[in-house]
């Protein structure tokens, strides 16, 4: 009976060891891909914020130009 338990224990250890996990190279590749995706997302958000600020400044300049034109127009 002890031999049967020993055989099952050895078989279990071999089965557990053969499954393994991710290698460190695979994990490093996955981490670098995730970091690159995060950097791309951050860059896209920053670009959108810069574009929104530029659009806001352009709209403010257009509104100021319209107000200046209305003020400079002769009264009827």
């Amino acid at each position: 009976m002890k031999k049967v338990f020993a055989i099952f224990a050895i078989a279990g250890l071999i089965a557990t060891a053969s499954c393994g996990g991710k290698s460190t190279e695979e994990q490093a590749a996955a981490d670098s891909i995730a970091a690159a995706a995060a950097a791309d997302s951050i860059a896209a958000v920053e670009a959108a914020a810069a574009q929104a600020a530029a659009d806001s400044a352009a709209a403010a300049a257009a509104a100021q130009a319209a107000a200046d034109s209305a003020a400079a127009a002769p009264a009827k």
Side-chain angles (χ1 to χ4, degrees):
M1 193 69 171
K2 290 180 184 179
K3 288 182 183 179
V4 172
F5 286 128
I7 290 172
F8 282 127
I10 292 171
L13 289 173
I14 291 172
T16 303
S18 67
C19 292
K22 285 188 174 181
S23 70
T24 55
E25 292 176 5
E26 291 175 349
Q27 186 64 35
D31 290 345
S32 67
I33 290 171
D40 288 345
S41 296
I42 292 169
V45 169
E46 289 174 347
Q51 184 63 40
D55 291 347
S56 176
Q64 184 62 40
D68 291 345
S69 295
K76 290 187 179 182

